[in-house]
Amino acid sequence: MKFFSFALLASAVVACATSPTGSGTAGDDDSMSNGGGGSNTGGGGSNTGGGAISATDYLTRMDQKDCDEAFTCQASFPAMTGETFADDFGASAQDCYADAAAYEMASVVETEITAGKIHFDGTAAAQCIAGITFGTCSAFWADGGDYPAACDTAMVGTIADGGACVVDYDCSNPDSYCLDTHQCGAEP
């Protein structure tokens, strides 16, 4: 699921969490973009009733949900990583949102959708956002949230490992990232 979880990804506590596909967790930055087709419908607007949303709205809302849950669970943040909560999520939810937006590069993602490198389904994206749930804080720190199947088809990368990429979402392999070499592959 390629989506925020940059803060979760940044946190060593959840760096090993699996994708929502089959496990219902969201610690992996890549799994959102994989797992199915989806239509290349990057347009849309804000969603108030389950209709399609834009890729930018999708990424923003996903990140806000993760940031909000992190701040809800801040008191139980596991300090075993050697980093503080603020190191991983910022001093405020607003800091977390800003860091997430910088990581996501929504305008680049929108360009990649237009170029056909990412398939985006705005209706699945809205269903994904609406269906996200969080359990206990300890479960959040261990595995992230529970993500519905729609999350697997909302944003799907088309670039195989070894292919040229610009953002993580370009990669079709759920375990791959867009590496510093601008090729999809597993993180070292």
Side-chain angles (χ1 to χ4, degrees):
M1 197 175 288
K2 282 193 182 12
F3 64 92
F4 164 59
S5 288
F6 93 94
L8 293 177
L9 184 63
S11 172
V13 173
V14 293
C16 296
T18 59
S19 78
T21 306
S23 69
T25 60
D28 176 87
D29 183 16
D30 288 328
S31 55
M32 176 86 45
S33 68
N34 302 291
S39 61
N40 192 8
T41 57
S46 65
N47 175 35
T48 58
I53 60 175
S54 72
T56 297
D57 286 344
Y58 173 63
L59 295 172
T60 299
R61 291 176 189 195
M62 183 70 68
D63 295 345
Q64 288 175 345
K65 281 188 167 265
D66 284 339
C67 287
D68 290 347
E69 188 65 15
F71 275 86
T72 296
C73 294
Q74 181 177 3
S76 65
F77 179 71
M80 64 186 172
T81 65
E83 295 191 16
T84 68
F85 178 87
D87 291 336
D88 285 347
F89 296 95
S92 69
Q94 294 302 322
D95 288 345
C96 186
Y97 301 160
D99 289 345
Y103 175 83
E104 296 290 15
M105 300 186 303
S107 64
V108 176
V109 169
E110 294 278 6
T111 300
E112 294 296 274
I113 291 168
T114 301
K117 295 179 183 177
I118 302 169
H119 295 287
F120 179 71
D121 182 334
T123 301
Q127 292 168 348
C128 170
I129 297 296
I132 296 170
T133 59
F134 296 102
T136 65
C137 288
S138 61
F140 175 73
W141 294 124
D143 298 320
D146 290 323
Y147 295 82
C151 297
D152 294 334
T153 60
M155 196 175 296
V156 180
T158 64
I159 308 299
D161 284 355
C165 59
V166 180
V167 293
D168 291 342
Y169 298 99
D170 286 334
C171 303
S172 61
N173 183 334
D175 297 322
S176 294
Y177 297 86
C178 188
L179 304 171
D180 291 340
T181 59
H182 298 284
Q183 293 178 312
C184 288
E187 260 190 3

